[in-house]
Amino acid sequence: MKISGTSLDLSVTDYGITLDPTFTMLEFDGLRVLPVQTDPLIPGHAPPSVAVPVPQQSSMNLCAICADRATGKHYGASSCDGCKGFFRRSVRKNHAYTCRFSRQCVVDKDKRNQCRYCRLRKCFRAGMRKEAVQNERDRISCRREGQAVGTLTIDVLMQAEAFTQNPSQNLMMRDINSKKIACVGDVCESMKQQLLLLVEWAKRIPEFCELSVDDRVALLRAHSAEHLILGVARRSLPYNDIILLGNDFIIPFRGTEQEMSKVAARILEELVRPLKELNITDTEFVCLKTIVFFAPDCPGLQCAQAVRRLRFQAQVLLDESTSEQRGRFGELLLLLTTLQSVAWQMVEQLQLMRLLGKANVDSLLMEMLLGEEATRGPEALPASESNPEPLIFSTATESVLSRGILTEHIPMHNFTSVILPVPSSGLSEDPLLPTHTGPEVFTHGQAADMPTVHTCL
Amino acid sequence: MKISGTSLDLSVTDYGITLDPTFTMLEFDGLRVLPVQTDPLIPGHAPPSVAVPVPQQSSMNLCAICADRATGKHYGASSCDGCKGFFRRSVRKNHAYTCRFSRQCVVDKDKRNQCRYCRLRKCFRAGMRKEAVQNERDRISCRREGQAVGTLTIDVLMQAEAFTQNPSQNLMMRDINSKKIACVGDVCESMKQQLLLLVEWAKRIPEFCELSVDDRVALLRAHSAEHLILGVARRSLPYNDIILLGNDFIIPFRGTEQEMSKVAARILEELVRPLKELNITDTEFVCLKTIVFFAPDCPGLQCAQAVRRLRFQAQVLLDESTSEQRGRFGELLLLLTTLQSVAWQMVEQLQLMRLLGKANVDSLLMEMLLGEEATRGPEALPASESNPEPLIFSTATESVLSRGILTEHIPMHNFTSVILPVPSSGLSEDPLLPTHTGPEVFTHGQAADMPTVHTCL
DNA sequence: CATGAAAGGTCAAAGGTCAT
DNA sequence: CATGACCTTTGACCTTTCAT
């Protein structure tokens, strides 16, 4: 049902439209097709999963640059004809625009022509690649598939977050004065709760569940300390000079045990304060958390490439969520180095307190925070030699974490409990496990009263 | 998808439509021209209607407003450039004209400028629609120079980098096979050289020189290990499974001392490899280096806010340098967490080797990499307690670094020497120094044969 | 051989420029 | 400042290529 009518251009044909004779484009002016960027990682990775049906009408039909109606994929991004033409012209003529403002112009259907710099930039950010613009007349056979960024979505992340959050704290922030100051035991208890929640959070992410058991365990172990710090920092955002734990205890800026106060001060100063200044949104937070979570460098990862892709997706999601404010994305990402540093210090502090007998560190904390040599006495000091990198563990030997990683989702009954219920008995055997020939094999039988990563999964 | 068969309106409307003559200017605003009630847009191709009577040349070639020669259809009416521009300006600026006569002025080529009220009214009557006037667009002329976020520029950073690079390595990468495998001493020697170059690099950045001495020392100390790793990773980019030191020794992937091989493997796997895949540019590299350098969280910083701003600028510069590839900026920034982690491990390794007597760590390395307690015997093991964060030092007590930070630039004579010359004697006293009341005060007199941060500055 | 997604091209009608 | 001759950019519409 097209307008088959060939262009018998009757209408106003000849009203002397003096067609501009100098209309020639300065073809090839400075055209330089980039030196074949060996398309780095981040390839398409067609969704191999089972159910990824709905391609989202909204996102597929809308131009990723200006939100006008899209006419298909062009140069790697779903876009309208206008942005398609604009991108081609810009690349062909090797245009270098400049923004008259502060390079954070809004680019939508109405305003897309107001700043070419910001429009072109958004084209690139939306996934357009200049390599996809072909040379003038000829056509290159390359039918490269544009990268479908991935399957990770903000929605899924936000839901996972909602499922694993303590609603009572969210709804009413009761008077701070009524809360008790945490002792070391309270802190450890809170950490344990939060780690269990982290496991539950991860299980809500389909892409995580598709990984192998070993990889899931490795990811959960790798950066758990950072998740604890990140979570506590976010929870403390509404308050001043106070850290609010997940179990409703608080750590004041000053006035706790000496050991805690150092870390607490850094959390407040180096994390809570910048996050307050940035006024981080929920969306941004879950993206950050996901970026931390899918750490491709953590040792023992079989499928590091898949994890890298997932982090890439999360990173791009964050970028897209923050595009309004110049420099915001970078500031948020740079907080991750601070987060890593603080988490490190916390782990060292915890390690020390355990060795000094000041803290009772149970097996889950041992496994996820201090390394896997849990259930041992504090005989071996993990000095520089034995554990040069506290946050990243050498291999994914099975242990507490290994058990239960295959467990089904446990519905959180009305969110009333902060602690996750211990996985229902049943399937305790995991035939897949002993892939690794870890030097030490432990057997943890006390899953009921001593949750571990494996039992939680 | 396609335009549904629109009601074929025979484009060539009759503008003669005499509209209510009592229109006031303000009424024009809401004016809905009757004649053309068809889809106004749809330019170009004519609907496949039957046979539209060929429009009168006269009406098509003549401006419907002033009867000047028309240049096409504009805003819905065949018109000349003058009336086109007049209409656009009037609508854009929302001009409200008034007729000084009786709103019956003749509007023709000669008199069209005599009454704006009547001219605009005639525009509307001829079928021009104010809706067809679009928003203001971007400027075409590109004479405007984009404003910078701050004072930091890529150029300055690139120059600083060029000044402090070993040109011999850059020009010809001689056969790798001829290079010797580094022993621990070679590594330490290379590190020392590179740290001196780092100081020199920093001094080439005006914004750095404007900081206080204490802050300069703090910055130089804070992340020097990361700079060493970053530098060595970049230098090793052209090779495979080999780390190339600044003094031309190499560290193979396997086959060195056990202590080095761990860190070396991580450098190759977690840094060199991703950097190769990303194919990092020189511009991007200096931005990354600058981001690492201006670390606002490093302790003892007086002017943390200024440093934060500088890092922000560097971060935005990197963003703009990478905007052509989606996700690239984020991937580069995320490498910094890896960098931090590897650097940490290296420091711990170095610390350990020093304690075991395997490495001879001189005072500059002590100060910049291991903390400031240099020139001491290895009596105090910097365990978790004493130095929970190896890369960041607690306070900026004066020491080796403190001396010489005020020294003038030392021209690098033809780049022949890798090592920086020791600052020319002269101004060795620094009256500003003892601001801090550090618990320990050392005096380093051996500036000549034992460079320190202060002596280098 | 037909089909459709995604390249390419066209050009009326927007926009902007800058002596006057 | 406004005008208008002259030039650029935009984007709706259309053709061509190529994998399926």
Side-chain angles (χ1 to χ4, degrees):
Chain A
M1 195 43 160
K2 301 133 200 280
I3 299 185
S4 54
T6 30
S7 47
L8 46 113
D9 188 299
L10 24 84
S11 72
V12 214
T13 38
D14 58 347
Y15 44 102
I17 275 296
T18 49
L19 224 216
D20 187 349
T22 64
F23 189 56
T24 85
M25 309 191 193
L26 316 158
E27 340 241 5
F28 284 121
D29 223 358
L31 178 60
R32 65 190 172 109
V33 173
L34 279 205
V36 196
Q37 298 267 38
T38 50
D39 203 347
L41 37 150
I42 323 139
H45 188 64
S49 62
V50 193
V52 191
V54 186
Q56 291 200 9
Q57 274 201 344
S58 54
S59 96
M60 201 41 198
N61 284 339
L62 259 48
C63 172
I65 292 96
C66 70
D68 195 359
R69 203 175 65 86
T71 62
K73 263 194 161 185
H74 302 291
Y75 311 116
S78 171
S79 62
C80 65
D81 271 337
C83 290
K84 167 196 166 188
F86 171 76
F87 187 76
R88 181 179 53 223
R89 286 189 300 268
S90 300
V91 170
R92 285 256 177 82
K93 301 173 88 171
N94 205 18
H95 264 315
Y97 308 120
T98 41
C99 177
R100 291 178 295 153
F101 308 102
S102 45
R103 293 176 231 198
Q104 41 182 326
C105 304
V106 175
V107 181
D108 60 18
K109 181 170 161 43
D110 291 329
K111 297 189 265 297
R112 66 187 174 200
N113 280 319
Q114 285 179 8
C115 179
R116 282 128 93 222
Y117 176 90
C118 291
R119 188 185 192 180
L120 182 59
R121 169 197 173 94
K122 201 166 177 193
C123 284
F124 280 116
R125 289 181 113 72
M128 285 191 174
R129 293 165 300 112
K130 52 171 27 169
E131 297 78 26
V133 174
Q134 302 174 352
N135 282 354
E136 208 75 359
R137 195 75 232 203
D138 57 68
R139 109 164 314 165
I140 300 166
S141 60
C142 159
R143 190 130 214 100
R144 261 242 56 86
E145 183 62 29
Q147 66 256 9
V149 186
T151 57
L152 219 52
T153 65
I154 299 267
D155 279 350
V156 167
L157 300 180
M158 291 291 275
Q159 278 181 22
E161 189 65 20
F163 271 119
T164 55
Q165 225 164 11
N166 189 347
S168 72
Q169 282 192 338
N170 239 356
L171 293 181
M172 39 172 160
M173 41 184 195
R174 291 199 302 270
D175 43 328
I176 302 296
N177 298 329
S178 75
K179 299 183 199 269
K180 296 179 200 153
I181 294 182
C183 68
V184 175
D186 299 324
V187 173
C188 288
E189 190 56 32
S190 173
M191 292 199 297
K192 189 172 156 187
Q193 292 178 8
Q194 295 303 313
L195 289 181
L196 292 172
L197 283 172
L198 175 66
V199 176
E200 197 59 20
W201 174 83
K203 284 156 70 177
R204 304 270 172 183
I205 300 177
E207 288 81 358
F208 170 78
C209 297
E210 290 166 10
L211 297 172
S212 72
V213 182
D214 285 350
D215 282 358
R216 276 180 278 169
V217 172
L219 285 183
L220 282 171
R221 283 176 171 173
H223 293 268
S224 51
E226 285 161 87
H227 282 103
L228 292 182
I229 302 288
L230 185 62
V232 92
R234 201 264 283 265
R235 195 182 302 111
S236 307
L237 279 181
Y239 311 104
N240 290 322
D241 287 342
I242 277 185
I243 288 178
L244 177 60
L245 300 183
N247 53 1
D248 233 29
F249 285 90
I250 62 171
I251 301 178
F253 182 55
R254 298 217 175 281
T256 355
E257 277 112 311
Q258 182 66 22
E259 295 86 1
M260 288 199 232
S261 81
K262 264 189 197 168
V263 175
R266 289 195 64 191
I267 292 175
L268 287 172
E269 182 62 23
E270 301 178 25
L271 292 171
V272 173
R273 205 163 68 110
L275 286 175
K276 272 182 182 172
E277 285 173 2
L278 285 169
N279 196 15
I280 188 174
T281 66
D282 289 347
T283 299
E284 290 163 349
F285 176 82
V286 294
C287 288
L288 267 188
K289 183 173 179 176
T290 309
I291 291 169
V292 172
F293 188 78
F294 289 114
D297 287 333
C298 80
L301 215 51
Q302 301 166 331
C303 220
Q305 206 54 29
V307 173
R308 184 174 293 278
R309 270 195 296 269
L310 288 171
R311 187 177 73 167
F312 181 84
Q313 293 176 33
Q315 181 250 104
V316 170
L317 284 180
L318 176 62
D319 188 15
E320 287 165 0
S321 305
T322 55
S323 59
E324 298 298 311
Q325 199 179 352
R326 162 132 103 141
R328 186 178 179 83
F329 175 57
E331 290 296 296
L332 285 171
L333 277 195
L334 285 172
L335 279 178
L336 295 188
T337 60
T338 304
L339 178 66
Q340 181 174 256
S341 167
V342 175
W344 232 307
Q345 188 164 359
M346 182 197 74
V347 167
E348 293 210 2
Q349 205 56 251
L350 182 65
Q351 188 71 274
L352 181 73
M353 293 173 74
R354 185 180 71 93
L355 294 176
L356 297 180
K358 287 189 180 180
N360 181 20
V361 179
D362 85 339
S363 62
L364 184 71
L365 292 189
M366 281 296 293
E367 180 184 357
M368 293 186 72
L369 291 182
L370 304 184
E372 57 209 319
E373 30 225 330
T375 70
R376 306 275 210 83
E379 68 270 19
L381 188 152
S384 310
E385 174 76 336
S386 72
N387 194 1
E389 208 184 349
L391 284 184
I392 300 198
F393 307 101
S394 44
T395 52
T397 57
E398 68 285 354
S399 71
V400 227
L401 265 179
S402 329
R403 203 172 312 261
I405 209 167
L406 296 175
T407 311
E408 297 295 317
H409 276 290
I410 300 155
M412 306 196 50
H413 312 294
N414 271 346
F415 310 102
T416 48
S417 66
V418 178
I419 282 226
L420 287 180
V422 178
S424 54
S425 57
L427 42 101
S428 57
E429 284 319 281
D430 186 351
L432 293 177
L433 267 188
T435 345
H436 280 276
T437 60
E440 309 156 319
V441 176
F442 309 115
T443 45
H444 299 276
Q446 354 71 325
D449 54 329
M450 202 179 253
T452 69
V453 180
H454 272 92
T455 57
C456 298
L457 286 175
Chain B
M1 291 271 192
K2 315 287 179 180
I3 286 243
S4 51
T6 346
S7 59
L8 45 125
D9 110 77
L10 14 134
S11 52
V12 198
T13 60
D14 35 86
Y15 325 102
I17 291 291
T18 50
L19 230 54
D20 182 351
T22 66
F23 269 11
T24 73
M25 285 315 295
L26 293 179
E27 287 164 343
F28 292 165
D29 274 2
L31 177 54
R32 201 58 207 146
V33 174
L34 311 175
V36 214
Q37 90 270 57
T38 78
D39 206 333
L41 319 177
I42 313 179
H45 288 263
S49 61
V50 203
V52 175
V54 173
Q56 288 297 328
Q57 272 204 341
S58 56
S59 84
M60 224 23 229
N61 282 341
L62 261 43
C63 172
I65 292 95
C66 70
D68 194 358
R69 199 174 68 85
T71 62
K73 261 194 164 187
H74 301 293
Y75 311 114
S78 174
S79 61
C80 67
D81 270 337
C83 289
K84 166 194 166 191
F86 170 76
F87 186 75
R88 178 176 57 221
R89 283 190 297 271
S90 300
V91 170
R92 282 255 180 85
K93 297 183 177 174
N94 210 16
H95 272 317
Y97 309 122
T98 42
C99 178
R100 292 179 299 161
F101 307 104
S102 49
R103 299 197 275 223
Q104 299 172 340
C105 306
V106 176
V107 181
D108 62 18
K109 183 175 182 340
D110 294 328
K111 295 188 272 294
R112 64 189 177 199
N113 280 323
Q114 285 180 3
C115 179
R116 289 171 172 151
Y117 176 91
C118 290
R119 187 184 190 183
L120 183 58
R121 185 179 64 173
K122 200 164 177 192
C123 284
F124 279 114
R125 289 187 176 173
M128 285 192 174
R129 293 163 306 105
K130 61 183 296 189
E131 297 79 26
V133 175
Q134 303 174 352
N135 283 328
E136 202 170 322
R137 286 188 184 171
D138 200 0
R139 302 263 177 271
I140 288 180
S141 63
C142 47
R143 49 181 147 156
R144 261 302 72 129
E145 187 55 41
Q147 77 311 312
V149 203
T151 56
L152 220 51
T153 66
I154 298 269
D155 279 350
V156 167
L157 299 180
M158 292 290 275
Q159 278 180 23
E161 189 65 21
F163 271 118
T164 55
Q165 225 164 8
N166 189 348
S168 72
Q169 281 193 337
N170 240 356
L171 293 181
M172 39 171 158
M173 39 183 195
R174 290 199 300 271
D175 43 328
I176 301 298
N177 299 329
S178 75
K179 297 183 199 274
K180 297 178 199 151
I181 294 183
C183 68
V184 175
D186 301 323
V187 173
C188 287
E189 190 56 32
S190 173
M191 292 199 296
K192 190 171 155 186
Q193 292 177 6
Q194 296 303 311
L195 289 180
L196 292 172
L197 283 172
L198 176 66
V199 176
E200 199 59 22
W201 175 83
K203 284 156 70 178
R204 305 271 172 184
I205 300 177
E207 288 81 359
F208 171 77
C209 299
E210 290 166 8
L211 297 172
S212 72
V213 182
D214 285 349
D215 281 359
R216 277 180 278 168
V217 173
L219 285 184
L220 281 171
R221 283 175 170 174
H223 294 270
S224 51
E226 284 161 86
H227 283 104
L228 292 183
I229 302 288
L230 186 62
V232 93
R234 202 264 283 263
R235 196 181 302 112
S236 308
L237 279 183
Y239 312 103
N240 289 322
D241 287 342
I242 276 186
I243 288 177
L244 176 60
L245 299 183
N247 53 2
D248 232 30
F249 285 89
I250 61 171
I251 302 179
F253 182 55
R254 297 219 175 277
T256 356
E257 277 113 310
Q258 181 66 21
E259 295 87 0
M260 288 197 230
S261 80
K262 264 188 197 170
V263 175
R266 288 196 66 191
I267 291 176
L268 288 171
E269 181 64 21
E270 301 177 25
L271 291 171
V272 174
R273 205 163 69 108
L275 286 176
K276 272 182 183 170
E277 285 175 0
L278 286 169
N279 196 12
I280 188 174
T281 67
D282 288 347
T283 300
E284 290 162 349
F285 177 82
V286 295
C287 288
L288 265 189
K289 183 173 179 175
T290 309
I291 292 169
V292 172
F293 188 78
F294 289 114
D297 286 333
C298 80
L301 216 51
Q302 301 165 333
C303 223
Q305 205 54 31
V307 174
R308 184 174 294 280
R309 270 193 298 268
L310 288 172
R311 188 179 71 167
F312 182 85
Q313 292 177 33
Q315 180 251 105
V316 170
L317 284 179
L318 177 62
D319 186 17
E320 282 160 6
S321 305
T322 55
S323 61
E324 295 192 356
Q325 200 178 2
R326 169 149 76 163
R328 184 176 180 86
F329 175 58
E331 291 295 297
L332 285 171
L333 276 195
L334 284 173
L335 280 177
L336 295 188
T337 60
T338 303
L339 178 67
Q340 181 174 259
S341 167
V342 175
W344 231 308
Q345 188 164 359
M346 182 198 73
V347 167
E348 292 211 1
Q349 205 58 250
L350 182 66
Q351 187 71 273
L352 182 72
M353 293 173 73
R354 185 180 70 92
L355 294 175
L356 297 180
K358 289 190 179 178
N360 181 20
V361 179
D362 86 336
S363 61
L364 184 73
L365 292 189
M366 280 298 290
E367 180 184 356
M368 292 186 74
L369 290 182
L370 303 185
E372 56 211 319
E373 28 226 329
T375 70
R376 303 278 209 82
E379 68 271 18
L381 188 151
S384 312
E385 173 74 338
S386 71
N387 194 1
E389 206 182 351
L391 284 184
I392 300 198
F393 308 100
S394 45
T395 52
T397 58
E398 68 287 356
S399 70
V400 227
L401 265 179
S402 328
R403 202 170 316 259
I405 209 168
L406 297 174
T407 311
E408 298 296 316
H409 276 289
I410 300 154
M412 305 196 51
H413 311 293
N414 271 346
F415 309 102
T416 49
S417 66
V418 178
I419 282 227
L420 287 181
V422 178
S424 55
S425 56
L427 40 104
S428 58
E429 285 317 282
D430 186 350
L432 293 178
L433 268 188
T435 346
H436 280 275
T437 62
E440 308 157 318
V441 176
F442 308 116
T443 47
H444 298 276
Q446 353 69 326
D449 55 329
M450 202 177 257
T452 67
V453 180
H454 272 92
T455 58
C456 300
L457 285 175

